[in-house]
């Protein structure tokens, strides 16, 4: 079993920044592919960013150049640095770990971008 705990969400003005954190426990962090997804009200959950075990990163087009995913193996933590936030980035953001062919989810953290 893998447990994921997100933090760092909140209310921010357009153009602002936030950094989300996700602490993983219960398995070897270095074996995990880590992802951030988000789900806006009335919309399907969508993949935002991925970081592999080796540190390769992938982003969806709508966040490329604004968001950065990173991982700290010493802290078993994955981060999502979000810059130049837009109102359309408002959503619940979920941390996702994939390891040993299984997928695990955190409880989500709310990000609201509004003036």
């Amino acid at each position: 079993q893998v447990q994921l705990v997100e933090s760092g969400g909140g209310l921010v003005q357009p153009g602002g920044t936030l950094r989300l954190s996700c602490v993983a426990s219960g398995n070897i962090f270095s074996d995990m592919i880590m992802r951030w997804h988000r789900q806006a009200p009335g919309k399907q959950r969508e993949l935002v960013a991925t970081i592999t075990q080796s540190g390769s990163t992938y982003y969806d087009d709508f966040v490329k150049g604004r968001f950065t995913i990173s991982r700290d193996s010493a802290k078993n933590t994955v981060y999502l640095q979000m810059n130049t936030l837009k109102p359309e980035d408002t959503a619940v953001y979920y941390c996702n770990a994939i390891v040993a062919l299984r997928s695990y989810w955190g409880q989500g953290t709310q990000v609201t971008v509004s003036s």
Side-chain angles (χ1 to χ4, degrees):
Q1 284 288 339
V2 173
Q3 294 79 43
L4 302 171
V5 179
E6 301 108 328
S7 62
L11 173 64
V12 63
Q13 291 187 342
T17 65
L18 279 176
R19 189 176 79 156
L20 306 183
S21 301
C22 171
V23 180
S25 61
N27 209 313
I28 300 174
F29 184 71
S30 59
D31 288 344
M32 300 180 190
I33 296 171
M34 301 300 298
R35 289 176 164 168
W36 286 98
H37 299 249
R38 69 185 184 187
Q39 187 167 19
K43 295 188 176 181
Q44 289 188 329
R45 191 172 297 188
E46 59 187 4
L47 175 62
V48 174
T50 300
I51 186 165
T52 68
Q53 299 94 325
S54 64
S56 297
T57 57
Y58 304 91
Y59 299 93
D60 202 273
D61 286 342
F62 49 80
V63 304
K64 202 172 291 185
R66 299 189 297 125
F67 291 10
T68 302
I69 189 171
S70 61
R71 64 193 296 160
D72 184 338
S73 295
K75 297 182 179 180
N76 286 359
T77 301
V78 63
Y79 302 98
L80 186 68
Q81 177 68 42
M82 304 186 293
N83 299 330
T84 319
L85 282 160
K86 305 175 181 180
E88 50 264 43
D89 294 319
T90 295
V92 178
Y93 283 71
Y94 296 92
C95 180
N96 170 224
I98 302 170
V99 60
L101 302 180
R102 291 190 172 186
S103 183
Y104 301 88
W105 294 87
Q107 81 287 352
T109 185
Q110 176 71 46
V111 171
T112 302
V113 185
S114 175
S115 55

